[in-house]
Amino acid sequence: MLERLVLPPWLKIGLALPLLVLNLWVLRQLLLPLAPFPALFLTAALIAFLLDIPSRWLRQRGLPRSLAMVLVLGLAMGLLALALLWLVPRLIDQLAELIAALPGWLAQGEVWLDALEGWAQEQGIPTDFGNLSSELLTRFSKLASQLSQRLLGLLGATVGLTVNTVIVLVLAVFLLLGGESISAGLAQWLPAGVRSLVVHTLSRTFRGYFAGQVVLAMILSGLQIVVFTLLAIPYGVLFAVAIGFTTLVPYASALTIVLVSGLVALNDPRTGLEVLAVAIAVGQVVDQVIQPRLMGSIVGLQPAWLLICLPLGARLGSLMGLGELLGLLLAVPVASCSKTFLDVSLASRRTIPAEPLSP
């Protein structure tokens, strides 16, 4: 009899892929009836991850655990109250004003395109911006209509949104208070040989990545708000927050900068260029000076792999009932952890020779 059967790598991959798909399908069947609670639980877990970082820092400085928790929760509630009292009303007002002003901006943008077409014809450059201007006007009008309908739907779902927010905050507090015992209990289910690797990798990657991304988003939003206010950019708070918090998803802030500057350029091309230049300059300062100090090489993924894992994460999040946004947020740290586990597995296989088949 064979004491141990060593399978070739291609056969192992061939067996692993169908099992992985089957497990994902079973997990999806379990999660969909429970929606939206799995997404709420994951959101609360991410918030607890973030709150645990300053709590650990305070405990390392000698503060008792209970006092550190009280200080962190008090600071978090203070920031939340500040956002609700100062930031959120301004965002709502500026968003409503932007929706009201958007048709005029679109009409002004069409005038700029007609003027550009006239100048090009005077220079003998063959152009036809007529179809482009009408297409842009139609598309932006549809976008404004859809945005207005979504805002009305969001206002209509205020009660459900408030209940979900309360559930997330309460879960986050309980996970923060009992997170260490919960994670230690879950770690006991892992094999002893990989337990330390899995716990260390998950803790380092998720805590470091999300903490770095959230801090970067807050810093970038704050700097953009200050600069846009000094330059008297219209709807500066709204645009600054949009640019800042899209940094939670890699490469999304660059797309937001282009969209915002293009939108402002419809009304005033010079102001649009100012927004583009200032947003890029502030973003470069954050990327080159602040980001390396906060995150270092936590992710460890090449840009090509980031571009691949983001749409996959969004799609998997949608299929699992977690939502595309949560899938986008989880895509990068999950891919980074998977890469670490695969690298360790391949390294161990290279160092340990395969045993021959025993007769």
Side-chain angles (χ1 to χ4, degrees):
M1 297 179 62
L2 298 178
E3 295 181 358
R4 181 181 178 186
L5 179 62
V6 179
L7 299 178
W10 63 268
L11 184 55
K12 292 181 180 180
I13 296 175
L15 293 174
L17 288 179
L19 290 175
L20 177 62
V21 173
L22 178 61
N23 289 329
L24 289 176
W25 181 82
V26 172
L27 183 62
R28 178 177 184 270
Q29 298 304 113
L30 293 175
L31 291 178
L32 285 181
L34 299 176
F37 293 104
L40 297 180
F41 180 81
L42 285 176
T43 304
L46 295 179
I47 295 175
F49 256 121
L50 296 176
L51 296 179
D52 186 56
I53 295 171
S55 175
R56 285 175 178 267
W57 185 82
L58 291 174
R59 280 181 284 168
Q60 290 173 358
R61 298 304 183 274
L63 267 70
R65 186 174 185 272
S66 58
L67 180 58
M69 293 289 184
V70 170
L71 290 177
V72 169
L73 290 176
L75 179 61
M77 292 303 172
L79 292 176
L80 180 61
L82 179 63
L84 292 176
L85 294 176
W86 184 83
L87 183 61
V88 174
R90 282 168 173 76
L91 292 178
I92 294 175
D93 292 342
Q94 291 193 5
L95 185 58
E97 294 174 3
L98 176 61
I99 293 175
L102 194 57
W105 284 20
L106 295 175
Q108 184 63 35
E110 191 171 10
V111 172
W112 288 115
L113 285 176
D114 292 339
L116 180 61
E117 184 178 8
W119 175 83
Q121 290 177 354
E122 292 178 358
Q123 303 299 321
I125 302 174
T127 56
D128 184 11
F129 290 141
N131 294 332
L132 177 61
S133 61
S134 60
E135 181 70 17
L136 287 175
L137 183 62
T138 302
R139 287 183 178 274
F140 277 108
S141 299
K142 289 182 179 180
L143 179 62
S145 176
Q146 292 175 358
L147 185 59
S148 302
Q149 293 176 0
R150 292 199 175 189
L151 285 176
L152 292 176
L154 181 61
L155 293 176
T158 302
V159 176
L161 181 63
T162 304
V163 171
N164 291 340
T165 303
V166 172
I167 292 174
V168 168
L169 294 178
V170 172
L171 276 176
V173 172
F174 278 104
L175 289 175
L176 177 63
L177 296 176
E180 293 183 357
S181 59
I182 294 174
S183 59
L186 293 175
Q188 297 301 318
W189 291 82
L190 297 173
V194 298
R195 185 180 303 159
S196 61
L197 172 65
V198 172
V199 172
H200 174 73
T201 302
L202 291 177
S203 176
R204 175 180 176 271
T205 302
F206 275 83
R207 186 176 285 111
Y209 176 78
F210 281 109
Q213 290 294 96
V214 170
V215 172
L216 285 177
M218 295 177 66
I219 292 175
L220 184 57
S221 297
L223 292 177
Q224 299 280 18
I225 288 175
V226 172
V227 175
F228 286 177
T229 303
L230 292 176
L231 294 178
I233 302 296
Y235 317 111
V237 175
L238 176 64
F239 291 152
V241 172
I243 293 172
F245 276 87
T246 48
T247 56
L248 295 173
V249 179
Y251 307 117
S253 62
L255 179 61
T256 307
I257 289 173
V258 174
L259 291 176
V260 167
S261 59
L263 188 62
V264 176
L266 291 175
N267 183 54
D268 186 357
R270 180 179 177 179
T271 306
L273 290 176
E274 290 179 355
V275 171
L276 180 63
V278 169
I280 291 177
V282 174
Q284 286 299 308
V285 170
V286 173
D287 290 341
Q288 302 299 326
V289 178
I290 301 176
Q291 183 175 4
R293 298 175 181 273
L294 283 177
M295 301 185 65
S297 57
I298 290 173
V299 176
L301 294 174
Q302 297 294 329
W305 289 113
L306 288 176
L307 293 176
I308 293 173
C309 72
L310 286 173
L312 288 178
R315 183 58 178 166
L316 285 175
S318 177
L319 290 176
M320 294 297 175
L322 302 176
E324 293 185 356
L325 178 59
L326 192 56
L328 281 172
L329 294 177
L330 293 173
V332 175
V334 169
S336 178
C337 291
S338 301
K339 178 181 179 297
T340 301
F341 298 150
L342 288 175
D343 290 343
V344 173
S345 177
L346 291 176
S348 63
R349 291 181 182 277
R350 292 192 185 101
T351 57
I352 302 176
E355 296 182 4
L357 294 178
S358 302

